[in-house]
Amino acid sequence: MSTTTTTRRLTMAQAISEATAQEMARDPRVFVMGEDVGKYGGIFSATTGLLEQFGPERVMDTPISETGFMGAALGAAAEGLRPISELMFVDFFGVCFDQIYNHIAKNHYMSGGACKYPLVITTGIGGGYNDAAQHSQCLYSIFAHVPGLKVVVPSNAYDAKGLMTTAIRDDNPVIFLYHKGIMGLSWMSYFEGSTNEVPEAQYTIPFGEACVVREGSDVTIVTLSQMVQKSMLAADQLATEGISAEILDLRTLVPLDRAAVLASVAKTGRLLVADEDYLSYGLSGEIAALVAENLDTLRLKAPVRRLAVPDVPIPFSHPLEQFAIPQVDNIVASVRGLMTFKLD
Amino acid sequence: MSTTTTTRRLTMAQAISEATAQEMARDPRVFVMGEDVGKYGGIFSATTGLLEQFGPERVMDTPISETGFMGAALGAAAEGLRPISELMFVDFFGVCFDQIYNHIAKNHYMSGGACKYPLVITTGIGGGYNDAAQHSQCLYSIFAHVPGLKVVVPSNAYDAKGLMTTAIRDDNPVIFLYHKGIMGLSWMSYFEGSTNEVPEAQYTIPFGEACVVREGSDVTIVTLSQMVQKSMLAADQLATEGISAEILDLRTLVPLDRAAVLASVAKTGRLLVADEDYLSYGLSGEIAALVAENLDTLRLKAPVRRLAVPDVPIPFSHPLEQFAIPQVDNIVASVRGLMTFKLD
Amino acid sequence: MQATTEQLLWMYEKMVEIREYEETMAKVYLEAKLPPKIQKGLAFDIGAGPVPGEMHLAAGQEPVAVGVCAHLRRDDTVVGAHRPHHFAIAKDVDLNAMTAEMYGKATGLGRGKGGHMHLFDPAVKFSCSGIVGAGAPQACGAALAARKLGTDAVAIAFFGEGAANQGAFHEALNLAALWKLPVVFVVEDNKYGISVEKSASTAIASNADRAVAYGMPGVLVEKNDAVAVFEAAGEAVARARRGEGPTLIEVKTDRYYGHFQGDPETYRPKGEAKALRQHDPIPALGALLRSRDLLDDESDAALRTRVSARVQAAYDFGRNSPYPEPQDALLHVFAD
Amino acid sequence: MQATTEQLLWMYEKMVEIREYEETMAKVYLEAKLPPKIQKGLAFDIGAGPVPGEMHLAAGQEPVAVGVCAHLRRDDTVVGAHRPHHFAIAKDVDLNAMTAEMYGKATGLGRGKGGHMHLFDPAVKFSCSGIVGAGAPQACGAALAARKLGTDAVAIAFFGEGAANQGAFHEALNLAALWKLPVVFVVEDNKYGISVEKSASTAIASNADRAVAYGMPGVLVEKNDAVAVFEAAGEAVARARRGEGPTLIEVKTDRYYGHFQGDPETYRPKGEAKALRQHDPIPALGALLRSRDLLDDESDAALRTRVSARVQAAYDFGRNSPYPEPQDALLHVFAD
Ligand SMILES: Cc1ncc(C[n+]2csc(CCOP(=O)(O)OP(=O)(O)O)c2C)c(N)n1
Ligand SMILES: Cc1ncc(C[n+]2csc(CCOP(=O)(O)OP(=O)(O)O)c2C)c(N)n1
Ligand SMILES: [Mg+2]
Ligand SMILES: [Mg+2]
């Protein structure tokens, strides 16, 4: 007897919907709701095929009432169901954030652990396709700032499937943020690296484990989501200049793999944080702070550098947007800049 | 002829309502709206006396419809009025943040500068009086993270009056966050240092200028709001141990006075950020990151330390809340810890 | 739907219990909050005493809680708001653990983490929230779960007339009607949202008239009377259990205390609260019971003794329970 | 209220202009978005071409825009949503600058920062937003300002039937009615919110029936017809101007294109869009004008030439304008 191993490449969108479908098949408590998740299959195809497979009682289109259905997800989770609730664009969180951060995130704590809220919020993030200031943000820092939410931000299909399965099985609220520009949609240009081999069988990837997606010795690029793919391209270019970049894909912001960041920076002595969220008071600051807090054990060769959206709303026009959102060239230039320092 | 100088001490609440009243008298376009801002005078007395002085057309009680009246503030500001709109507790921002961050903050930018939205959002922040997880947060990091809002966080009555006057005269949206525990309310214990001398005449304090509220040479405590008052008490205690702490009151987060932080840390070589917001992905990270980005010019004697709410919702019970929110003793202990290092 | 003798007596006893609970709390709450024990210059210290923080009491509003909860089972869900005691008691929340929670004790429902606006008792499916209007969508979720799980459990969302102007109200009612969920939305019109009178917050006189906007029945209960609420709620709960969808009920009720304890109530006409107490619903139901020979001095006294024992035991339990360890603040952010 | 000849002709010309604008955009938008010019494997590239990003066209919905805006002055405010062109054109937004904005050019209304969902023209008090429902409270603010400034200007909030289930709708309508603001809320019922049919999102058939919840008049315009909208809006605008408060109008209208360009429309019955075009409101109004001898082949042709010149000039202006400098992205976060 022989086992046939076929390698399958999936887009990140396919990986997410496959993870969801497999978990729905395994666990009847799981259901999906959100705007256009049914017949349309999700605006970013994160729920494609689910309605056909599971029917309208388990794949529910909702009115444009995010507070309504996020609150309903909480209420259903409290009763033991395991909702997956889609916020079409993360940019819309402002109409329903009270349900998310004051209730979904805190009720377990406020109940002293007596109540559980196993639910997943999926949402599309990121720009690069000229969708302007209200449809292009990342905002994961905000979800990571408020306590009580696990925050998952995958960079590729393989990780997305494993992390989504983990998310659905987690007994806590999880927000799963997928960047539109790595979903592999047929109508939006995307980074090839995000579409990769994905086993058909179910598997999980634990939260809180960052992944060294490229080893290197000169500089550490701490990054996530689409910016991982940009960093890979930058690293290729840097390699031709003799600069060896290590790329750390955080994968989850809560829990955060602090040890992995510190280990890599200890090795390379240089840190660039490459982020698509707003620069100030967010993710890039947190990672830089981690280094600042460990200056007694780390030996740095250069000050820390951060690359992020320079505290401006995402502009619509192509040249403006390309300027505002960090690109491959900016990563390359920042790393080059880091190499010019020689601390101590 | 002689000028009589009388010194007046005001509470921060009195200072804010005085600034508002004087500006309303000066500028007929200014008006106030919010829940219980009229007859009640504001739950935290930020609007006390205004209804009596200006009448119900300029001091408007609203329904409990934060999205409704924040949106209305934007619409009125677009027409040239200058609304002051109160969000009773900052904790409620999740029901109306879309109006605030997707519209009030971004419309000027999205209009390419064509439209202006001169409005002030006032809101109460902070814990310490057992109001639990949905009424005790600071959250200023979130308002500072999204571009387009100026973020003001005063620590005392004098600053509050000047900053509030500046806020009302600013042509941009400003969020003015007052800590309940320094308002000088007759029904909540507060820190004495927050009630101080306030001139009767109008004056402004420019945004983006941090204030050295205590000079010192061994360590810099970068802080804001009520934590300034706690830091002052900690510094008194530290002084008895021979440790000289410099305290920098940020006063505004956007714009942020980066130069003042760097200058003080350059002088002392040690940095503690003392913050009442959640620890991760927020203010304390941003300040620490600033140091990490300037390691080529700064000579540090110790790694950076951050004191903040340790990523837990604010618990109700007294011993739990006292543990979760940084106290004077924690500041003292953190500074002592910083003094044990000897980098290089 | 007519209340049985048992139901009438249950409502009466629960109302007496709620009232005693609130009156006791009004006293306990004041302990150590007044001069000279507090910071000089203060008139009151909200953060002091054995029960610190905000305190919203529901004395006067008992009929709403008992009239609705008389129809509920343990597996029905109730979501309350910032003024939750009467609902919690009527839903049979563990009185000891609830009281211990308000004392911030380790034996509390939430091990002291929640406090008075955040009472969670999953055993009887009770929860509440300090955010105005937030409970309504959550009740829809419980009702949705009941349908998905194939039970005939129902969910009740209780909130004030002020909450009916919050967006969450609208979204929840539409969702419930659209999906024909077994929910009953119950608005307590106590005339004020803190200091703001209903006429200054709500464009129409009765929220019951808003039911039309969702194609669901709307019922106005004009009297702060347990039996009247019982009748309106009975039909609504039965309808929900039959799978026929939601109902919106508004009850005109009375708030005897301030919005929260310590409220100066300067916005309220002098003597209003006192006048309201002329129509106290508890003696009213007592009189009805007596008129039907279901209550006499003796049984009333026995009932009050029984209730008092329960209530005072709960306060003793709360007072005498240990505080959590400070560092327990770090626990329960996430379930393992 | 009967439309004057001038108003009828204005509505007709504006509808023709809107239609040509949208049909032109449908073509321009596709430029450089299809294989083989795009990433291999893609069927379409939303971020490519001279007009990148999302594109929501309003062909078919012209009657709503012109029927309302026929009553408006320059100093009246209009707040639109993500599908804003018809309103912008009917409100006399600068067509060149609006088009340049969608091309992302420095000459655009927002210097290229806003794009098609974020058109701001303060000269005619027009704005819109990509967030469903968000405009309704903003229109209340403009109306409040009019009252405070003592003018008789009014404000219109336009939004889709999908938006009527968003909390902001409820809060805005209550506020407007409570404060008797000069606002008219106009719901465009084009049957879908992206792919979700109205019956799957809205508990009742007509949003006009929701006006009762706020004590304001509710009007349903059952026909996608400019004159019908004109009549309903005329009364509502006049009422607002007289200081008598808000009105809610719902208009049954038709969306000829997909939700956005590139929408596969798999959720839509085959041929539906085609069938809708059988009832095109533009020829319908043309026929009315002809029946009244207000239009003939010649004047129609002249009008269409005029309109075409305007529309094509705007596209030329947009196409030929310069892009902003990349680093201008840093400008305009704050006003000085
Ligand atoms: C979203 C939100 N806005 C404001 C508040 C502050 N607040 C707490 S209770 C209250 C009044 C509530 O009035 P109502 O709903 O009538 O309930 P009642 O207090 O009369 O029982 C307000 C404004 C809040 N908790 N949440
Ligand atoms: C708060 C919010 N939720 C969801 C969306 C995504 N979205 C954009 S348009 C749309 C449908 C809107 O439907 P409708 O209001 O009927 O307007 P139409 O598109 O039919 O003109 C949705 C769900 C959004 N932009 N904002
Ligand atoms: Mg009330
Ligand atoms: Mg629609």
Side-chain angles (χ1 to χ4, degrees), chain C residues 61 82-83 160-163 188-194 196 255 259:
Chain C
Q61 304 184 194
H82 57 286
R83 193 182 305 286
E161 91 296 336
E188 291 189 287
D189 175 7
N190 63 6
K191 302 182 196 65
Y192 295 98
I194 309 188
V196 180
R255 194 187 82 195
H259 170 73

Side-chain angles (χ1 to χ4, degrees), chain D residues 160-162 188-194:
Chain D
E161 90 296 336
E188 290 189 289
D189 176 9
N190 63 4
K191 301 181 195 65
Y192 296 98
I194 309 188

Side-chain angles (χ1 to χ4, degrees), chain A residues 64, chain D residues 61 82-83 159-163 187-194 196 198 253 255 259:
Chain A
I64 311 173
Chain D
Q61 305 183 195
H82 57 286
R83 192 182 305 288
F159 45 87
E161 90 296 336
V187 185
E188 290 189 289
D189 176 9
N190 63 4
K191 301 181 195 65
Y192 296 98
I194 309 188
V196 179
K198 190 184 192 184
T253 187
R255 194 187 81 195
H259 171 72

Side-chain angles (χ1 to χ4, degrees), chain B residues 29 31 33 56-81 95 98-99 102-103 105-117 147-150 170-173 254, chain D residues 75 77 101 109-115 118 120-122 125-149 167-168 171-172 174-175 178-179 328-336:
Chain B
R29 299 168 303 175
F31 72 100
M33 61 179 163
E57 190 55 32
R58 290 186 71 194
V59 184
M60 306 178 75
D61 275 330
T62 62
I64 311 173
S65 306
E66 288 85 356
T67 290
F69 70 79
M70 287 295 166
L74 178 153
E79 303 290 323
L81 297 181
V95 300
D98 180 67
Q99 289 294 336
N102 261 336
H103 297 90
K106 290 177 184 162
N107 277 10
H108 176 72
Y109 186 83
M110 296 193 298
S111 75
C115 301
K116 287 185 185 173
Y117 304 88
L149 299 171
K150 297 194 179 178
D170 200 298
D171 272 349
N172 295 284
V254 179
Chain D
D75 68 334
T77 291
E101 185 59 27
L109 286 172
R111 301 171 194 250
K113 291 199 156 119
H118 310 293
F120 294 83
D121 189 349
K125 303 204 182 217
F126 181 84
S127 69
C128 54
S129 166
I131 302 297
V132 165
Q138 298 169 8
C140 293
L144 179 64
R147 196 179 73 192
K148 285 186 189 295
L149 296 169
E171 297 191 8
N174 183 60
L175 215 58
L178 181 73
W179 291 347
D328 288 354
L330 300 177
L331 303 178
H332 305 303
V333 179
F334 292 112
D336 317 304

Side-chain angles (χ1 to χ4, degrees), chain B residues 203-222:
Chain B
Y203 58 97
T204 58
I205 295 178
F207 291 168
E209 292 190 7
C211 180
V212 177
V213 292
R214 180 181 176 120
E215 293 204 31
S217 52
D218 292 325
V219 59
T220 299
I221 304 177
V222 170

Side-chain angles (χ1 to χ4, degrees), chain A residues 12-13 44 124-129 135-136 138 154-156 178-185 187-195 225-227 229-230 276, chain D residues 39 42 45-46:
Chain A
M12 203 164 95
F44 304 113
I125 64 171
Y129 63 103
H135 291 75
S136 302
C138 283
S155 71
N156 63 82
Y178 52 79
H179 196 296
K180 293 159 262 173
I182 49 176
M183 287 291 268
L185 303 172
W187 50 275
M188 187 185 295
S189 82
Y190 60 92
F191 285 84
E192 303 280 359
S194 55
T195 297
S225 190
Q226 192 196 53
M227 206 57 79
Q229 306 304 340
K230 289 184 180 172
E276 197 186 314
Chain D
Q39 183 175 3
L42 295 193
D45 184 353
I46 186 173

Side-chain angles (χ1 to χ4, degrees), chain C residues 107-185:
Chain C
T107 53
L109 285 172
R111 301 171 193 251
K113 291 199 156 118
H116 127 91
M117 288 187 276
H118 310 294
L119 304 170
F120 293 84
D121 189 349
V124 296
K125 302 202 182 220
F126 181 84
S127 69
C128 55
S129 166
I131 302 297
V132 166
Q138 298 170 8
C140 293
L144 179 65
R147 197 179 72 191
K148 285 187 189 294
L149 296 169
T151 80
D152 67 346
V154 304
I156 314 291
F158 285 111
F159 45 87
E161 91 296 336
N165 298 314
Q166 181 68 221
F169 165 91
H170 177 65
E171 297 192 9
L173 267 79
N174 182 60
L175 214 60
L178 181 72
W179 290 348
K180 268 201 164 191
L181 298 176
V183 197
V184 183
F185 300 98

Side-chain angles (χ1 to χ4, degrees), chain A residues 317-330:
Chain A
S317 180
H318 190 73
L320 300 177
E321 191 198 27
Q322 293 293 307
F323 181 88
I325 297 179
Q327 306 297 339
V328 175
D329 285 351
N330 306 113

